[in-house]
């Protein structure tokens, strides 16, 4: 079955330090992978995606993600965290079983950046 | 939140009443989606539509209904058959590479 796992419910990091939010996936074939961010009582905002090509993907707000096929991972990273990065982060993979373009989401990771 | 609008932002209903949530997009996307978000459970797909006048059930369609009479609009009705309707509802539209989300509607049923 296709799935996405975000093993950490919460990640805590000090402002200015690097951050990593983990994501692993299980799909048939080549994955299409996505990261979204959600601020309280708001919709999801698209951060970045991996479709093909370079394993290091750069996205919005200084975030990047590294695709690792052998480890089936797509971890989100940022070299220097900001307090304003505190939010809920979702990893998603496109459902490859049919042509619906559905996304399968992880359970989310809450990032807390302390001043 | 791009070109997707959801209304209202907050909605309160009594148990046993049907309620319809609005979703409109001006991004010219063929596909539209409805998700339900509960604390700690991520997003679960309720219904989706790839073209006008056609839609498919997602993972948790029971107690919900939708229509797609226009490309721009994909309203969701939460019926009295939905056992636990209190949640945050998110509408999205998109294509092959990504989905864009609306701001959400928080439904509270008492």
């Amino acid at each position: 079955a296709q799935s996405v796992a975000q093993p950490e419910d919460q990640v805590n990091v000090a402002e200015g330090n690097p951050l990593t939010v983990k994501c692993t996936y299980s799909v048939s074939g080549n994955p299409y992978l996505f990261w979204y961010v959600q601020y309280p009582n708001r919709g999801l905002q698209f951060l970045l995606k991996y479709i093909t090509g370079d394993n290091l993907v750069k996205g919005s707000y200084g975030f990047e993600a590294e695709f690792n096929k052998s480890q089936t991972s797509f971890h989100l990273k940022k070299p220097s965290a900001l307090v304003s990065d505190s939010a809920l982060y979702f990893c998603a993979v496109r459902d490859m079983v049919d042509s619906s373009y559905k996304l399968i989401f992880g359970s989310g990771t809450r990032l807390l950046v302390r001043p | 939140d791009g070109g997707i609008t959801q209304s209202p932002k907050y909605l309160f209903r009594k148990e046993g009443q049907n309620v319809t949530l609005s979703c409109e997009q001006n991004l010219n996307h063929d596909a539209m989606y409805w998700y339900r978000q509960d604390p700690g459970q991520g997003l679960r797909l309720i219904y989706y539509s790839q073209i006008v006048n056609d839609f498919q059930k997602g993972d948790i369609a029971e107690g919900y209904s939708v229509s797609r009479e226009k490309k721009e609009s994909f309203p969701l009705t939460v019926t009295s058959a939905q056992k636990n309707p209190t949640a945050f509802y998110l509408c999205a539209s998109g294509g092959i590479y990504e989905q864009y989300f609306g701001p959400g509607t928080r439904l509270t049923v008492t």
Side-chain angles (χ1 to χ4, degrees), chain A residues 32 34 36 38 41-46 49 51 88 90 94 98-108, chain B residues 1 9-10 33 35 37 40-43 45 48 50 88 90 95-104 106:
Chain A
Y32 290 5
F34 306 84
Y36 287 85
Q38 185 181 34
N41 292 312
R42 300 289 298 276
L44 275 65
Q45 295 178 30
F46 171 78
K49 66 178 182 283
I51 304 299
L88 187 58
F90 288 98
R94 200 190 111 183
D98 58 29
S99 60
S100 68
Y101 307 155
K102 290 183 293 182
L103 293 181
I104 301 168
F105 285 87
S107 57
Chain B
D1 300 325
K9 188 172 177 64
Y10 298 96
Y33 309 83
Y35 294 91
Q37 185 178 18
Q41 293 193 40
L43 276 70
L45 183 64
Y48 65 99
Q50 292 180 272
F88 191 51
L90 288 160
I96 188 171
Y97 292 131
E98 52 205 51
Q99 290 183 17
Y100 297 95
F101 284 79
R106 186 166 296 281

Side-chain angles (χ1 to χ4, degrees), chain B residues 56-102:
Chain B
Q56 284 76 40
K57 293 181 180 180
D59 301 317
I60 56 165
E62 185 175 351
Y64 300 98
S65 66
V66 293
S67 63
R68 186 84 186 278
E69 297 176 2
K70 299 186 301 181
K71 187 175 185 177
E72 303 79 19
S73 179
F74 191 41
L76 173 74
T77 297
V78 184
T79 75
S80 56
Q82 168 50 232
K83 291 183 174 58
N84 186 18
T86 294
F88 191 51
Y89 290 88
L90 288 160
C91 178
S93 71
I96 188 171
Y97 292 131
E98 52 205 51
Q99 290 183 17
Y100 297 95
F101 284 79

Side-chain angles (χ1 to χ4, degrees), chain A residues 25-99:
Chain A
Y25 65 90
S26 174
V27 296
S28 54
N30 294 319
Y32 290 5
L33 294 156
F34 306 84
W35 275 103
Y36 287 85
V37 60
Q38 185 181 34
Y39 297 97
N41 292 312
R42 300 289 298 276
L44 275 65
Q45 295 178 30
F46 171 78
L47 279 179
L48 51 81
K49 66 178 182 283
Y50 172 82
I51 304 299
T52 187
D54 194 345
N55 289 344
L56 185 63
V57 179
K58 293 191 182 298
S60 306
Y61 313 121
F63 284 93
E64 57 189 28
E66 186 168 12
F67 171 65
N68 188 315
K69 189 171 184 177
S70 63
Q71 298 186 5
T72 62
S73 67
F74 189 55
H75 300 331
L76 181 70
K77 301 181 180 184
K78 188 173 183 182
S80 178
L82 300 172
V83 172
S84 58
D85 292 331
S86 298
L88 187 58
Y89 290 81
F90 288 98
C91 181
V93 65
R94 200 190 111 183
D95 189 330
M96 305 300 276
V97 171
D98 58 29
S99 60

Side-chain angles (χ1 to χ4, degrees), chain B residues 26-46:
Chain B
N26 62 5
L27 301 170
N28 201 33
H29 288 152
D30 287 318
M32 296 186 74
Y33 309 83
W34 273 106
Y35 294 91
R36 171 183 170 134
Q37 185 178 18
D38 295 284
Q41 293 193 40
L43 276 70
R44 293 182 289 170
L45 183 64
I46 304 172

